[in-house]
Amino acid sequence: PVIVTVLAVRPHPIYPSQHALSARRCRVAEPESAVESFGADAAEVGWLVECPSHPGNSGAPVLDARGRLRGLLHAGSAPADGVAVTSALGALLGR
């Protein structure tokens, strides 16, 4: 599986003027599984699984194993579901 790193800046839960940078590793999903669930347009974006996202994470950079910017986080499900949508990641999957 292809693993990427998603960076996010989040406000501190108690002190909103303070922010923290966090990094999490996420698995890139094959687009075929998204197409089965959501239709042909789902192949035009990237899908990350086991990748919780929180409000305010939109625009977070998606980095490959060498630290190169490969996409941006656009949307995510509730942290329990752990599915995120990014800009296209086809090059990471050899497409």
Side-chain angles (χ1 to χ4, degrees), residues 10 13 18 46 56 58 95:
R10 299 194 56 205
Q18 296 181 13
S58 294
R95 290 176 167 69

Side-chain angles (χ1 to χ4, degrees), residues 20-85:
L21 176 65
S22 64
R24 62 188 177 278
R25 299 212 182 245
C26 302
R27 187 167 48 93
V28 177
E30 292 288 337
E32 292 79 13
S33 61
V35 169
E36 285 180 24
S37 299
F38 305 113
D41 289 340
E44 301 301 316
V45 296
W47 295 88
L48 304 179
V49 293
E50 300 164 11
C51 194
S53 181
H54 303 277
N57 286 168
S58 294
V62 178
L63 308 176
D64 67 12
R66 297 173 80 187
R68 295 177 295 185
L69 179 66
R70 299 310 291 258
L72 296 175
L73 186 70
H74 293 293
S77 64
D81 297 329
V83 176
V85 179

